[in-house]
Amino acid sequence: MTAAWTTDELDRIGAADELHIASRRTDGTLRRPLPIWVTRVSDELYIRSWRGTDGSWYRAAQTSGEAHINAGGVERDVVLEPVDSDAIDDAIDDAYRDKYSRYPSYVEPMISDQARATTLRLVPRTAEDVA
């Protein structure tokens, strides 16, 4: 079962420069957390792999589709839902451009077709789901 993000969580995670993600192994244990970028579009949070499908965290996340995140002082277990929509991808591209404009050489790979193919929506889980 999934839960909804609170406004406070959305604000804090959306404003954070980095999100630390630890994907869940098939045995339920967490991998080592790695820093990645996160964007907010409306009331949803999105992540992408800068290296596309070759990104180590992305490959690991594909195994279980679950992770633990930490950003802006918020820690949550999440489901990682693939996104396959050009309309939302355009909005996510804009969010990356706006939020990370001070890093132009890194933003371009984040809005490439290769990175777009790895777009994941973060869906919060309830405590009961993880237990």
Side-chain angles (χ1 to χ4, degrees), residues 38-115:
V38 60
T39 58
R40 177 182 176 179
V41 175
S42 189
D43 288 339
E44 302 291 347
L45 298 166
Y46 298 93
I47 57 176
R48 288 180 174 165
S49 172
W50 184 76
R51 293 196 163 121
T53 56
D54 291 335
S56 62
W57 75 262
Y58 180 79
R59 287 192 322 269
Q62 292 296 99
T63 304
S64 68
E66 298 178 9
H68 183 81
I69 63 157
N70 181 350
V74 177
E75 287 197 47
R76 288 296 294 264
D77 287 301
V78 296
V79 174
L80 305 169
E81 290 188 350
V83 174
D84 187 20
S85 168
D86 286 340
I88 194 64
D89 269 331
D90 290 343
I92 294 167
D93 288 352
D94 289 343
Y96 273 109
R97 282 186 197 102
D98 290 344
K99 183 174 181 180
Y100 298 106
S101 62
R102 65 191 180 278
Y103 307 111
S105 63
Y106 291 104
V107 170
E108 287 308 310
M110 289 302 288
I111 61 174
S112 70
D113 289 341
Q114 180 180 358

Side-chain angles (χ1 to χ4, degrees), residues 9-31:
E9 289 172 325
L10 287 167
D11 290 345
R12 290 167 63 191
I13 296 169
D17 274 345
E18 291 182 329
L19 173 141
H20 286 83
I21 186 167
S23 59
R24 197 167 293 284
R25 295 181 180 98
T26 54
D27 69 2
T29 61
L30 293 173
R31 296 181 185 279

